[in-house]
Amino acid sequence: MKTVEGHDVDRKALALLEEGESPAFAARPSYVTVDGGAHWDATTLLLTDRRLVVTKDRLFGKGKADVSLAWPAVESVRGELWKGAGPKIQLLVETAQARGPIEMIVSPEHAVAVESAIRSGYLPFRP
């Protein structure tokens, strides 16, 4: 499987899939911030038919789902220009479980694909 950027998805990330779970989309955000605190470079975003998974790249040991949200827990996603260094897009994923949004910084050429993939994951679970 390839990410939207054209990279191979790490075997450690694919090993996080549960039995019967199918990967649908993968991306490599520049960085991810969770709950306004934990800030991770070198992450993989993996979207499956059941959930949204963010995993930090690890050189040693087994992979770990640092964020794992079943699609019903994802409430919305929105994109906006990021005010940091360079022309990046900030995607904010609002969830029922987090104190704040999950912030992902992605390149502009892939932002629409990432946002659309997240939206297509949670929308079937909205009333």
Side-chain angles (χ1 to χ4, degrees), residues 1 9 13-14 16-17 23-27 44-48 51-55 71:
M1 176 177 198
V9 176
L14 291 174
L16 298 173
L17 296 174
F25 184 87
T44 298
L45 168 67
L46 185 61
L47 307 179
T48 75
R51 62 192 172 132
L52 176 151
V53 177
V54 176
T55 180
W71 285 121

Side-chain angles (χ1 to χ4, degrees), residues 71-88:
W71 285 121
V74 178
E75 295 180 338
S76 68
V77 61
R78 71 181 190 280
E80 52 193 48
L81 291 174
W82 183 53
K83 306 281 191 264
K88 300 283 186 170

